[in-house]
Amino acid sequence: MFRRAFWFTTGAAAGVWATNKVHRKLRKLQPDSLAAQAADKAVETGHRLRQFALDVRTGMADREEQLHDALGLNGTSEVRELPAPRSHAALETHHRTTRTPGQPGLTGPTGNEDH
């Protein structure tokens, strides 16, 4: 008789456990629960993206500081002036332009007629 009571209790406990497990799964699959899970995942993804953006911004600032150090731009509060512009005459190329007898056009530095 003790054996029967033991197995009856064990079976009833297993049945209650299985029923609770099934009900929990069914509650997770209801539309309200699925919507809440999706919203939680979206919020979590948003936090991860924000953290990623902050990490990228920090990395960019670090890299910019490294580049400023490498180029010697750190600590200079004085404004550097641009070099003076070159004169227009210094930029022009000096070609000999002469008229070739019998031809109406000008010739370039190679002696051939420019087109």
Side-chain angles (χ1 to χ4, degrees), residues 9-62:
T9 307
T10 304
V16 169
W17 176 79
T19 303
N20 284 337
K21 192 94 166 158
V22 168
H23 282 296
R24 267 191 239 132
K25 287 289 184 185
L26 288 175
R27 271 187 256 128
K28 276 187 173 182
L29 295 176
Q30 289 179 346
D32 294 341
S33 179
L34 290 175
Q37 288 176 5
D40 290 342
K41 290 288 184 183
V43 168
E44 181 182 333
T45 302
H47 288 304
R48 286 185 181 181
L49 285 173
R50 185 165 191 255
Q51 186 61 43
F52 174 73
L54 291 174
D55 290 345
V56 168
R57 187 174 294 152
T58 302
M60 286 173 35
D62 290 344

